[in-house]
Amino acid sequence: MFGDPARRQPQSIGFVLVPHFSMMAFVSAIEPLRSANRISGRQLYDWQLFSADGAEVPASNGIAVVPDAQIGELKGPTTVVVVAGLQVATYNDRTVMNGLRRLARHGTDIGGICTGTHVLARGGLLDGYRCTIHWENIPGLMEAFPQLEVSANLYEIDRDRFTCSGGTAPLDLMLHLIARQHGSELGAEVAEQFMHGIPRQPDSPQRWSLAHRLHVSHPRIIAAIGQMEANLEQ
């Protein structure tokens, strides 16, 4: 299960980058691991980057990241994180899907951050698991994969699968991982390094309340706007 004590140290984590991935989500996932190593004075975590073919992958902000290897060479990590972003609904790279299924058969903890959930769902890796995704993509995910149990939580951990919404939410996920594996004191120190305050819990909402977002306090107006947001297509 994601968050269980590592079988060896450093714990190796593989990041699979999907074209147009979210740089914010990616950095929010890696930086806490780097900080945990520095603060503890030990190599608790190491990581490698992978793509479908080993070629550089453009992020949604246009910055290209050069991976360490292609996904076919991903064998050692006990944890794999798929990082996606824009245009993920049409992404269906057979090499990546087959690679992820192979890893799942060998008991690898597999997760997705931002819209990486969509990639796992298309690969059949979330059937029977709870999952979440960036709030903007929840309706599309539920429509494309009606069999899934989708929540609007900040992140979900269900046995050997974990999914996380976008933005800075992966920071909270990794702080949870660090605290669970190496103690709450180290988790708190890492959070303070990023001036993050108290880490958010898995069931924390992804969005501010309507009253907070719109500066509206009248309950009937809030209820009406809520109905409109829930039925945008109609």
Side-chain angles (χ1 to χ4, degrees), residues 30-52:
I30 281 190
E31 282 296 283
L33 305 178
R34 176 196 62 79
S35 184
N37 289 346
R38 186 179 73 85
I39 292 171
S40 69
R42 294 181 291 151
Q43 192 72 13
L44 302 177
Y45 302 97
D46 64 23
W47 50 88
Q48 286 186 297
L49 312 182
F50 298 86
S51 67

Side-chain angles (χ1 to χ4, degrees), residues 27 31 37 69 87 91 119 163 178 182 219:
V27 171
E31 282 296 283
N37 289 346
Q87 304 174 25
Y91 183 80
V119 177
T163 49
I178 293 165
H182 303 289

Side-chain angles (χ1 to χ4, degrees), residues 51-105:
S51 67
D53 55 3
E56 66 179 27
V57 186
S60 57
N61 61 8
I63 297 175
V65 174
V66 180
D68 298 294
Q70 58 185 337
I71 193 170
E73 299 176 55
L74 206 171
K75 298 175 182 176
T78 56
T79 302
V80 171
V81 185
V82 178
V83 191
L86 301 175
Q87 304 174 25
V88 72
T90 58
Y91 183 80
N92 191 19
D93 188 288
R94 182 175 298 179
T95 302
V96 170
M97 297 301 178
N98 290 341
L100 293 173
R101 294 188 191 105
R102 171 179 54 81
L103 291 163
R105 288 194 298 270

Side-chain angles (χ1 to χ4, degrees), residues 130-191:
R130 293 189 315 277
C131 64
T132 190
I133 196 170
H134 189 284
W135 62 265
E136 195 174 39
N137 302 93
I138 289 176
L141 181 71
M142 295 178 69
E143 182 177 354
F145 306 99
Q147 80 278 12
L148 295 185
E149 182 182 349
V150 182
S151 81
N153 287 349
L154 201 68
Y155 60 90
E156 289 278 4
I157 299 172
D158 188 353
R159 294 159 288 166
D160 55 353
R161 297 288 182 274
F162 58 96
T163 49
C164 182
S165 53
T168 59
L171 174 56
D172 297 278
L173 174 69
M174 292 305 181
L175 288 172
H176 171 87
L177 175 72
I178 293 165
R180 180 165 176 174
Q181 292 184 328
H182 303 289
S184 58
E185 184 175 344
L186 179 59
E189 288 185 73
V190 173

